[in-house]
Amino acid sequence: MDLHLSGRVAIVTGASKGIGLAVAQTLAAEGAHVVAASRKSVPELSGDIVHVPVDLMDPLAPQHLVDVAVERFGRLDVLVNNAGGPPPGVSLPRFSFTAPTDDDWRTMFEFNLFAVVRMIRAAVPALLENGGGSVVNVSSGSARLPAPMNVDYNAAKAALNNLTKALSEEFAPQGVRFNTVSPGPVRTAWWTEEGGAADILAAATGNDRDAVIEQVAPEMMKLSTGRLVEPQEIADVIALLASPRSAATTGADFAVDAGFLKQV
């Protein structure tokens, strides 16, 4: 299926690994001009992908990204707010409401909500000037499943869902669509890197990290498919939402979560 993305211009944040890298590569493969934002580049961000080294905790970074996209390609059509999860230097999961401090809460919201707010604020004028476009915010299934584990992260993503609905109401009539994609546990560095979620859960449950990834975590989170989600499975849905083929889809949340959410 032709997604009609050829020649369109997209910004993807958190693009150096995991979901963001898969999204950047998928959009580029569909013919889009991709501006990939991350603190560091990787060899996979090559070819037609333009990497911009930024730290989205810097309030000036979003406008710089938009300026690069418009100066390089003359327009902006798509924004994928993928950067999120544990803030730099933070390891998750945390197992109780009492674990995060005030500073932890502030940092979590700064990275997962306020950085997105600033990115959207910078991008909307360029999207409107071009006659509209698509914004996809990467949320989490945990936003809709309150639990004491990672309570600060869950709350930040719940706020992101609310924000996305509100922005859709305001800007969809002007041609800018806003949607969220809510992954479940995804086989990314959050889980697999040293000191990541797999190691933390392994220490808490008395298992090894491989067993956590392959069996313990899927069982603990009651994943219907019995496995973690792959980044490409998220990227495919984001590409469709970025596409004009989804012109009637706005204010929606798409769970790509291996059956994590059970609610109707």
Side-chain angles (χ1 to χ4, degrees), residues 194-217:
E194 184 176 352
D199 285 339
I200 294 171
L201 286 173
T205 61
N207 290 279
D208 64 71
R209 66 190 328 272
D210 291 338
V212 166
I213 292 173
E214 300 300 332
Q215 181 179 1
V216 175

Side-chain angles (χ1 to χ4, degrees), residues 19 52-53 68 111 136 143 146 165 168 183 187 202 208 231 257:
I19 295 171
V52 181
V68 169
F111 191 49
V136 183
K165 290 276 191 181
S168 175
R187 193 185 292 265
D208 64 71
D257 63 1

Side-chain angles (χ1 to χ4, degrees), residues 48-60:
D48 295 331
I49 299 175
V50 177
H51 177 256
V52 181
V54 293
D55 182 350
L56 288 172
M57 301 285 266
D58 177 0
L60 300 180

Side-chain angles (χ1 to χ4, degrees), residues 34-230:
V34 178
V35 175
S38 61
R39 288 179 297 160
K40 298 179 180 179
S41 186
V42 294
E44 292 86 352
L45 291 174
S46 58
D48 295 331
I49 299 175
V50 177
H51 177 256
V52 181
V54 293
D55 182 350
L56 288 172
M57 301 285 266
D58 177 0
L60 300 180
Q63 189 60 58
H64 176 59
L65 278 173
V66 173
D67 290 345
V68 169
V70 173
E71 289 169 8
R72 183 73 177 262
F73 300 111
R75 56 192 286 165
L76 180 63
D77 302 285
V78 176
L79 169 62
V80 180
N81 285 307
N82 166 71
V90 174
S91 295
L92 297 179
R94 298 184 178 114
F95 295 100
S96 170
F97 166 75
T98 61
T101 65
D102 281 3
D103 285 342
D104 292 329
W105 276 88
R106 278 189 285 267
T107 302
M108 188 65 73
F109 269 70
E110 182 70 29
F111 191 49
N112 286 279
L113 181 64
F114 300 143
V116 175
V117 168
R118 291 191 292 264
M119 192 68 244
I120 294 170
R121 187 185 292 136
V124 161
L127 293 167
L128 290 173
E129 183 176 345
N130 193 42
S134 173
V135 178
V136 183
N137 295 326
V138 178
S139 184
S140 170
S142 297
R144 294 166 53 194
L145 190 65
M149 183 182 290
N150 300 332
V151 62
D152 50 343
Y153 171 76
N154 301 347
K157 290 299 190 182
L160 179 61
N161 286 8
N162 188 292
L163 171 70
T164 304
K165 290 276 191 181
L167 291 169
S168 175
E169 282 296 297
E170 181 171 357
F171 292 107
Q174 301 173 63
V176 182
R177 299 180 293 109
F178 285 82
N179 295 287
T180 53
V181 171
S182 292
V186 184
R187 193 185 292 265
T188 63
W190 179 347
W191 281 86
T192 60
E193 68 184 1
E194 184 176 352
D199 285 339
I200 294 171
L201 286 173
T205 61
N207 290 279
D208 64 71
R209 66 190 328 272
D210 291 338
V212 166
I213 292 173
E214 300 300 332
Q215 181 179 1
V216 175
E219 290 179 354
M220 180 184 299
M221 303 181 81
K222 299 179 181 178
L223 303 184
S224 302
T225 64
R227 63 170 178 84
L228 302 189
V229 182
E230 296 296 334

